[in-house]
Amino acid sequence: QQNNVLRGLSIPPDMAILALIYYVLSYFLLAAFGIAIGAIVGSEQESRQLSAIIVMPIMIPYILLITFIIDPNGTVPTILSLIPFTAPMAVLMRVGLTAVPLWQIAVSVVGLIVLNVIVLWISARLFRWGVLSTNKTPGLRRIFQILRGKAPEIAPSQPKLPEAA
């Protein structure tokens, strides 16, 4: 006789679909941040440090788990559900504990999509600059210049062809 711990576990289809939506949006958001970080850092150690700064806000709902358990529709869980960084974990925690208004889910998904577009745009600009200027780590001021399009582009070095006689 096999003792199966997860025998009574059932996940409602709507929650599974919601989890899949948040997973995909979160994955693309973290990938876009990864592109941006990779374009502006000069070493693996720097990239790990910046990645930790990005991941920490995403973990806030987990840190405040007791608040979600005590009052899932309270002020803190509701606000965290509406902030794009914390929405994926916060909304799924709330949906597992209580009924979440549909408008809050819609606002969090739309906010996450908008944040994805913004971060991807920023990442593309930084990556374009990073690829063209190898071995240059930009400062914060330089990053803002790149994003505004004010930074001079660095042309890749091309070998000179011998002149024909």
Side-chain angles (χ1 to χ4, degrees), residues 156-164:
S157 59
Q158 297 178 356
K160 291 186 177 185
L161 298 174
E163 294 181 19

Side-chain angles (χ1 to χ4, degrees), residues 2 16 30 112 115 162:
Q2 190 177 22
L30 290 175
L112 200 52
L115 183 62

Side-chain angles (χ1 to χ4, degrees), residues 88-108:
M89 190 178 290
V91 170
L92 292 176
M93 287 168 57
R94 288 181 64 208
V95 166
L97 297 169
T98 188
V100 178
L102 189 59
W103 72 267
Q104 291 179 8
I105 295 172
V107 166
S108 70

Side-chain angles (χ1 to χ4, degrees), residues 2 4 10-11 33 43 53 75 90 103 111 117 126 128 136 149 159:
Q2 190 177 22
N4 192 351
S10 66
I11 299 174
F33 273 121
S43 70
I53 292 170
T75 305
W103 72 267
V117 170
L126 291 173
R128 180 175 175 226
K136 287 202 166 216

Side-chain angles (χ1 to χ4, degrees), residues 63-79:
I63 294 167
L64 299 174
L65 176 64
I66 194 70
T67 306
F68 283 81
I69 293 172
I70 293 172
D71 189 11
N73 283 327
T75 305
V76 172
T78 301
I79 289 172

